[in-house]
Amino acid sequence: MVSADSERPRRAAPRADDEQRERAPSRRRPAPRRAKAVDAGSAMSSAAEQLAKLLGRPPESVSSLRPTDSGWEAQVEVVELERIPDTTSVLASYKVALDEEGALISFERTRRYSRGMIDRPF
């Protein structure tokens, strides 16, 4: 008598790379998540908040904001010396650099001026 197993075609022995493929998990690992880049409004408030923490003074305003290749750059105005009358108070302008996630990278005071001073063309 002929057994049923002998009539069935035999499968070739698996190769080493086939075994590895069979053992590998079928699911792929998710790619590491990149932090979401912040929008202009978030970058503006982030620049003001982080600078205030470092200087210990609240920002007066954010006078400019522009995107850069590595994130954002803002000009933040801060009252450094309050005087009476208010027009004689001393303000400073700080250049603040943020990364794509809105974290402060650097800051630098670029100018000091009195509140009543008017910018004049050069």
Side-chain angles (χ1 to χ4, degrees):
M1 247 182 152
V2 178
S3 73
D5 289 336
S6 63
E7 293 177 12
R8 202 177 314 170
R10 292 193 172 219
R11 188 173 146 192
R15 293 183 295 182
D17 59 341
D18 286 341
E19 287 178 18
Q20 287 177 355
R21 199 176 308 135
E22 288 176 12
R23 288 185 203 150
S26 60
R27 293 186 208 170
R28 290 185 178 205
R29 290 184 185 170
R33 285 185 147 183
R34 286 186 59 194
K36 199 172 189 179
V38 296
D39 62 355
S42 299
M44 194 161 82
S45 60
S46 180
E49 289 170 11
Q50 293 180 68
L51 186 63
K53 285 180 185 176
L54 291 171
L55 297 178
R57 297 184 196 106
E60 184 76 11
S61 66
V62 177
S63 57
S64 74
L65 178 73
R66 69 180 186 91
T68 63
D69 292 337
S70 60
W72 295 92
E73 185 177 284
Q75 285 292 125
V76 181
E77 311 305 315
V78 177
V79 176
E80 291 203 331
L81 181 61
E82 289 191 46
R83 291 186 175 161
I84 298 174
D86 202 16
T87 55
T88 60
S89 293
V90 177
L91 282 84
S93 185
Y94 286 86
K95 180 170 79 172
V96 179
L98 304 173
D99 65 11
E100 292 175 345
E101 300 164 11
L104 190 137
I105 298 171
S106 67
F107 71 96
E108 170 186 11
R109 184 171 64 192
T110 56
R111 143 188 153 157
R112 285 183 81 177
Y113 58 97
S114 63
R115 186 185 297 274
M117 192 171 109
I118 299 171
D119 287 336
R120 296 184 182 152
F122 297 107

